[in-house]
Amino acid sequence: MKELYATTMINEGGRSGTSYAEDQSLSLKIAPPGSKLADVTNPEQLFAAGYSACFNSALDLIKRQKKLKNASTIKVTVKLMEQASFDYVLAVEIEGHIEGLAVEEAQELLEITHTVCPYSKATMGNINVTIKAV
């Protein structure tokens, strides 16, 4: 296997702290979900941002294979769920729109993308992921 890229983030303070890149290229204030503080994020937002970007890039690959140039938008919702006391899991909802395609055609491309996207591969069998064309 050939490594294409690696990155490192460091966290101090958990959900009430700071996460920063080892090379100092990025620094983020972290707060618990639902915090009404300015200029903060949380792990769920970061995961949703990464997943949506990765999924849309994987979709671009599938569209190129099918010789489609239609623009696409991917919306990822990450939910922090409590199964039982002190037992937390994530759930993900992916909504995708591909300009000019029928919902059925878009759904088929999204399902194929789910088998290609590295985030989808990482979550497969680990968390509940639903995919819906809109």
Side-chain angles (χ1 to χ4, degrees), residues 53-122:
C54 188
F55 197 91
N56 211 3
S57 291
L59 178 56
D60 283 344
L61 175 68
I62 300 302
K63 291 186 303 185
R64 277 195 308 275
Q65 286 179 338
K66 299 201 175 279
K67 299 190 181 353
L68 296 171
K69 295 184 180 185
N70 309 52
S72 56
T73 304
I74 299 297
K75 175 180 161 183
V76 171
T77 302
V78 173
K79 298 178 179 182
L80 178 61
M81 313 288 285
E82 185 176 34
Q83 295 183 120
S85 185
F86 298 103
D87 184 10
Y88 304 98
V89 297
L90 297 176
V92 173
E93 294 175 357
I94 299 173
E95 289 185 2
H97 177 74
I98 304 172
E99 291 291 329
L101 290 188
V103 171
E104 298 78 21
E105 292 174 290
Q107 183 70 35
E108 182 180 331
L109 292 181
L110 295 173
E111 296 290 341
I112 294 168
T113 300
H114 190 51
T115 68
V116 173
C117 172
Y119 272 65
S120 290
K121 288 179 180 182

Side-chain angles (χ1 to χ4, degrees), residues 5 7-14 16-30 41 46:
Y5 178 73
T7 189
T8 301
M9 293 292 287
I10 300 163
N11 176 274
E12 295 174 358
S16 297
T18 303
S19 289
Y20 57 92
E22 192 171 48
D23 66 4
Q24 300 302 313
S25 62
L26 178 64
S27 181
L28 302 162
K29 294 178 187 171
I30 308 295
T41 189
L46 295 171

